Every structure is written in structure tokens, then in C-alpha cells.
Amino acid sequence: MKIGLLIQRFPGGGAENYVEEIATRLHKKGEDVTVITSENKGYDDSTCNFKIIRLPSLLKIGEYFVWK
């Protein structure tokens, strides 16, 4: 099964940790998991076992990005 998880930023705090845990567990079960999130130049996506799609940002408000 293909599963897409959408989160405003990744990695991060509470909700982001929850999405990472779900994605990791589903990937271990053999599911095709993709996390769709905002760009984060300070994080190495290759540390995750699942695919991460980073959307370009228009602007940043606090710690959150507004996607194009």
C-alpha cells in the first residue's frame, strides 16, 4: 500500500515525532511511505528509511513555512 503523510515541518516537535514514528513503523511492515513537508536545509533526509518530499517555501512565519 502507498501511504502519504503530510506535515508542515519535519523533523520537529510533538506532531512531527508522531509522524516519524508512524512512518518508521509502516516502512518496517513493508509499506511504501512518503512524508510530504516543507524544505529543511539543516536535516539529512538520508537518515530516514522512508521517502521525504520537500516542497519549496514562499516565506517563513516563526518556525513554520508557507508553501508555494
Side-chain angles (χ1 to χ4, degrees), residues 19-31:
V19 166
E20 184 174 12
E21 181 68 27
I22 291 171
T24 300
R25 287 183 184 197
L26 288 169
H27 177 76
K28 284 182 182 177
K29 290 178 80 173
E31 305 297 346

Side-chain angles (χ1 to χ4, degrees), residues 7-50:
I7 187 98
Q8 179 64 29
R9 61 187 175 126
F10 186 85
E16 294 84 359
N17 290 338
Y18 185 67
V19 166
E20 184 174 12
E21 181 68 27
I22 291 171
T24 300
R25 287 183 184 197
L26 288 169
H27 177 76
K28 284 182 182 177
K29 290 178 80 173
E31 305 297 346
D32 182 10
V33 181
T34 302
V35 173
I36 303 166
T37 188
S38 58
E39 50 192 2
N40 182 348
K41 303 200 187 312
Y43 184 74
D44 182 12
D45 293 346
S46 65
T47 61
C48 296
N49 296 328
F50 45 86

